[in-house]
Amino acid sequence: MSGAGIAIIVLLALVLCVIGWFISVSNNINRVKLKIEESLSGVEIQLRQRYDVLMQGKTIAEQYAQHEQKVFEDIRKLSQIPMHASISQLNEASKTQEQAMRGLFALGEAYPELKSAEIFNNLINKLSEQSQQYSASRRAVNGNITKLNNYTVTFPSSIVCGMKGVTKMDYIHEENLDQLKNIDMSMNLNF
């Protein structure tokens, strides 16, 4: 075999390696994007469930504190989470839900009869549980977004991302649950 034939074989092997690498990285990026979509649906579900719990809380609290219109108005302003919501829509929903939760927790502090009601305590426990589940879902999404963002900023995978139009994604913001009104979670719980 002549030197030209060997050069062509080496060149073809190199081209096949580059094509194989490109396909491999492209497939990995597609898998991460699917994981992000899947984990985002978990966040949507958690926010929808928390929305439902907050609506229940509004009904319960209205029975005890009818003149606290500000809190009820904040809860009424909550909107349902749209299907396939964007990350900015999810962040906005989380933010408004946090504000409503703060108001509801503050009502519990302001009205001892409400705070001591078993139904309110159950609601507070549901909200706490829902927030933990939301946090777990959010961490899953952000972990997958980190994987995708790593592809977008590291060479040579950033070349594939650029060719596919994949850009760095924003994260779902962390809730400030520690800033929520501290409620004594041990109050008169009957389980």
Side-chain angles (χ1 to χ4, degrees), residues 15-58:
V15 167
L16 287 175
C17 285
V18 169
I19 289 172
W21 169 83
F22 180 86
I23 291 171
S24 174
V25 169
S26 181
N27 286 338
N28 287 338
I29 291 168
N30 290 340
R31 280 196 234 21
V32 170
K33 286 170 63 177
L34 285 174
K35 284 182 180 180
I36 290 170
E37 287 176 27
E38 179 184 328
S39 55
L40 275 172
S41 69
V43 167
E44 287 178 16
I45 289 168
Q46 296 305 321
L47 286 174
R48 280 191 191 95
Q49 288 175 348
R50 190 165 68 178
Y51 170 86
D52 292 341
V53 173
L54 284 166
M55 290 298 119
Q56 291 171 358
K58 178 178 103 31

Side-chain angles (χ1 to χ4, degrees), residues 1-12:
M1 194 174 258
S2 70
I6 293 174
I8 290 175
I9 291 173
V10 169
L11 184 60
L12 283 175

Side-chain angles (χ1 to χ4, degrees), residues 113-129:
E113 67 276 8
L114 175 61
K115 186 177 178 178
S116 66
E118 183 178 346
I119 195 167
F120 186 74
N121 291 322
N122 290 337
L123 173 81
I124 295 300
N125 286 333
K126 273 187 188 176
L127 282 173
S128 177
E129 182 181 312

Side-chain angles (χ1 to χ4, degrees), residues 25-182:
V25 169
S26 181
N27 286 338
N28 287 338
I29 291 168
N30 290 340
R31 280 196 234 21
V32 170
K33 286 170 63 177
L34 285 174
K35 284 182 180 180
I36 290 170
E37 287 176 27
E38 179 184 328
S39 55
L40 275 172
S41 69
V43 167
E44 287 178 16
I45 289 168
Q46 296 305 321
L47 286 174
R48 280 191 191 95
Q49 288 175 348
R50 190 165 68 178
Y51 170 86
D52 292 341
V53 173
L54 284 166
M55 290 298 119
Q56 291 171 358
K58 178 178 103 31
T59 303
I60 293 166
E62 280 178 333
Q63 295 170 359
Y64 284 89
Q66 295 178 359
H67 60 281
E68 295 288 347
Q69 291 304 314
K70 168 82 172 96
V71 173
F72 304 134
E73 201 158 302
D74 285 348
I75 294 174
R76 268 189 225 102
K77 287 179 187 175
L78 295 177
S79 59
Q80 274 286 10
I81 312 304
M83 293 299 289
H84 308 293
S86 68
I87 289 179
S88 64
Q89 289 173 312
L90 294 173
N91 281 331
E92 184 59 33
S94 178
K95 180 181 172 185
T96 57
Q97 285 182 3
E98 287 175 48
Q99 291 169 344
M101 286 170 61
R102 281 189 198 99
L104 203 53
F105 288 173
L107 272 182
E109 292 295 322
Y111 293 90
E113 67 276 8
L114 175 61
K115 186 177 178 178
S116 66
E118 183 178 346
I119 195 167
F120 186 74
N121 291 322
N122 290 337
L123 173 81
I124 295 300
N125 286 333
K126 273 187 188 176
L127 282 173
S128 177
E129 182 181 312
Q130 202 62 49
S131 292
Q132 291 171 3
Q133 291 172 356
Y134 169 75
S135 292
S137 295
R138 181 190 46 74
R139 283 190 302 272
V141 170
N142 285 345
N144 290 322
I145 289 173
T146 295
K147 289 177 188 175
L148 183 69
N149 286 347
N150 285 336
Y151 280 114
T152 65
V153 298
T154 57
F155 181 81
S157 62
S158 60
I159 294 170
V160 178
C161 288
M163 293 173 79
K164 292 178 62 98
V166 176
T167 58
K168 195 172 177 186
M169 290 182 70
D170 289 332
Y171 292 97
I172 294 183
H173 301 300
E174 185 165 344
E175 290 186 82
N176 296 320
L177 292 177
D178 293 337
Q179 294 178 358
L180 293 174
K181 186 80 173 160
N182 289 330

